[in-house]
Amino acid sequence: MKNILITGGAGFIGSHVVRLMVNKYPQYNIINMDALTYAGNLENLKDVELKQNYRFKKIDITDEKMVGRLFGTEKIDGVIHLAAESHVDRSINNPLEFIRTNIMGTVNLLNSARLAWKDNMEGKRFYHISTDEVYGSLGETGLFTETTSYDPRSPYSASKAGSDHLVRAYFHTFGLPVVISNCSNNYGTHQFPEKLIPLAINNIKNNKQVPIYGKGENIRDWLFVEDHASAIDTIFHKGETGETYNIGGNNEWKNIDLIYLLCNIMDKELGRPEGSSEKLITFVKDRAGHDQRYAIDPSKLVHELGWKPSLQFEEGLTKTVRWYLENQQWLNSIVSGAYEQYYDKQYGDR
Ligand code: NAD
Ligand code: TYD
């Protein structure tokens, strides 16, 4: 029996990782530790909450006492660390919260793991989940590899870069058995509707304008969230200690082209005349410091560990749209109060 701590398991990606681990590994105890910020939602885990090998702990990763105690009482063998502040626009409005959670929180977890495992690191693993945004912004060509120099340009990516450096420092300085992955943009079910794809789905459904920053020419490399979860499973079990793996599905899209595709799918799924959703597209003021292009070279993960993505983009996007349309209650419970305030601040009254 192994005791695996997953941080941020009530969030978008974390909930998919918890679901996969609980269902696939009945021999593991999965402990989900999450502070339940605006982005954390236990509704995401309704289907696994009663499983014998699953437990939830509401703890902030920056809480030294509670995190330290949990490592002792639960005899943690492995950590999959996803808890973070994750939205670039929010990091522009409130950088300090990102430093607190993403940097201080990560160091607190590293310290607790180090202390708990100090007598025997055998069989232990601290897996830190990071983003391709730490590498900065690409021009028209080239891909991010594991050796691309760090060049973060938003408070979010700078805080993730800081946490990556600290995780590596604990490997080199203290011999903590770490592994890191940096993934491209995720999409799929249960994503908070502040990020581009669920925000656009929700707005189109409600006949609200779809805000596109600048000219919509920025490029992102999109991966279905369940494929990210399967990559995390692969790296957690097969990755080399001290190594970094880039995760991506070779799926680059200009924002505006992605939104055209999404509008097309929405028209079909909602039974609206072709071209009606496109009319909602509205170009708005660009994001400050908006990175032009992200693109991942995943070949190390593919060749060394044998992982590959399972879904084509259009298939994944259609699956995602259907889930949001069938789960209006999930959306309604989120798109209230604090979300409305955030939305008005970010986009005016559009
Ligand atoms: P999310 O914002 O949906 O979820 C974050 C979760 O962390 C929430 O459940 C929240 O309650 C929890 N959390 C936040 N602060 C906390 C704290 N101080 N203590 C305990 N829990 C806290 O984020 P996500 O999109 O699921 O991203 C998860 C991880 O994956 C992050 O580390 C992010 O940097 C990384 N990542 C995300 C993407 C993406 O496209 N979303 C891509 C690559 C990497
Ligand atoms: P986002 O989903 O916030 O992810 P990230 O900034 O981490 O890549 O944004 C994806 C892209 O979509 C990014 O280029 C910014 C752009 N975008 C818009 O054009 N409009 C929006 O309302 C949002 C949220 C994002």
Side-chain angles (χ1 to χ4, degrees), residues 67-253:
V67 172
R69 190 182 299 159
L70 185 101
F71 267 83
T73 53
E74 301 291 340
K75 304 204 166 23
I76 300 297
D77 299 300
V79 178
I80 305 179
H81 172 38
L82 296 112
E85 288 292 337
S86 69
H87 188 37
V88 174
D89 292 326
R90 288 186 192 252
S91 82
I92 295 168
N93 295 329
N94 185 8
L96 205 53
E97 191 55 28
F98 284 66
I99 306 308
R100 192 187 77 85
T101 287
N102 299 359
I103 299 187
M104 302 297 285
T106 301
V107 174
N108 190 36
L109 285 164
L110 288 165
N111 282 340
S112 300
R114 191 184 153 219
L115 191 69
W117 300 342
K118 65 181 186 316
D119 295 330
N120 185 9
M121 302 251 186
E122 193 63 36
K124 306 288 193 275
R125 168 145 282 188
F126 188 108
Y127 180 6
H128 176 62
I129 309 297
S130 192
T131 166
D132 61 354
E133 302 192 25
V134 298
Y135 298 123
S137 181
L138 289 165
E140 279 176 20
T141 57
L143 299 171
F144 297 136
T145 72
E146 289 79 0
T147 55
T148 300
S149 301
Y150 274 35
D151 183 22
R153 298 149 63 98
S154 74
Y156 165 63
S157 53
S159 68
K160 291 297 290 189
S163 63
D164 293 10
H165 291 320
L166 284 154
V167 171
R168 288 193 186 100
Y170 273 63
F171 169 69
H172 291 292
T173 308
F174 304 116
L176 199 76
V178 310
V179 65
I180 299 182
S181 60
N182 297 78
C183 188
S184 60
N185 286 59
N186 285 212
Y187 71 98
T189 70
H190 303 87
Q191 187 170 28
F192 194 84
E194 64 186 355
K195 306 273 168 70
L196 179 66
I197 291 178
L199 184 141
I201 294 173
N202 190 37
N203 285 15
I204 293 170
K205 165 135 199 306
N206 295 310
N207 279 309
K208 270 178 84 171
Q209 296 186 344
V210 178
I212 301 299
Y213 297 158
K215 294 186 178 145
E217 307 241 301
N218 306 68
I219 294 172
R220 297 290 181 266
D221 186 354
W222 294 92
L223 183 70
F224 191 56
V225 64
E226 290 175 32
D227 284 330
H228 189 188
S230 84
I232 289 173
D233 175 24
T234 302
I235 294 165
F236 184 67
H237 289 98
K238 296 202 221 156
E240 286 276 334
T241 297
E243 288 293 313
T244 296
Y245 298 88
N246 279 356
I247 311 174
N250 297 310
N251 181 42
E252 288 180 55
W253 285 80

